[in-house]
Amino acid sequence: MLLTESRWLSLLSQGWRSLKAKDVDLADELAHAHTRQFRDNFIDFMRENYTTDVTLGTVKAAQ
């Protein structure tokens, strides 16, 4: 699930506020949520096949 721009900005703002307030638990929770979102987006991207129109030549063995 991709975040909308407004939701992303809201989470970013929450993150800054939690750091400023020294709310370590909330900052940690938001950091983990960001990491999971990044991971999910990366995995979704890697699952896509963008090479359907690319013709690859034959592979030559190294000598």
Side-chain angles (χ1 to χ4, degrees), residues 40-60:
D40 292 348
N41 289 348
F42 181 77
I43 290 170
D44 288 345
F45 174 80
M46 294 304 290
R47 285 186 179 137
E48 293 295 322
N49 182 356
Y50 293 105
T51 61
T52 56
D53 296 330
V54 176
T55 303
L56 300 175
T58 58
V59 177
K60 296 180 183 178

Side-chain angles (χ1 to χ4, degrees), residues 14-61:
Q14 281 183 305
W16 283 113
R17 284 195 309 269
S18 68
L19 291 172
K20 188 175 180 179
K22 298 184 189 313
D23 186 341
V24 176
D25 291 332
L26 179 58
D28 189 54
E29 180 182 332
L30 292 168
H32 283 285
H34 178 266
T35 301
R36 284 189 302 271
Q37 182 69 47
F38 182 86
R39 178 205 60 202
D40 292 348
N41 289 348
F42 181 77
I43 290 170
D44 288 345
F45 174 80
M46 294 304 290
R47 285 186 179 137
E48 293 295 322
N49 182 356
Y50 293 105
T51 61
T52 56
D53 296 330
V54 176
T55 303
L56 300 175
T58 58
V59 177
K60 296 180 183 178

Side-chain angles (χ1 to χ4, degrees), residues 6-17:
S6 62
R7 178 69 178 137
W8 185 84
L9 290 173
S10 173
L11 290 172
L12 183 62
S13 178
Q14 281 183 305
W16 283 113
R17 284 195 309 269

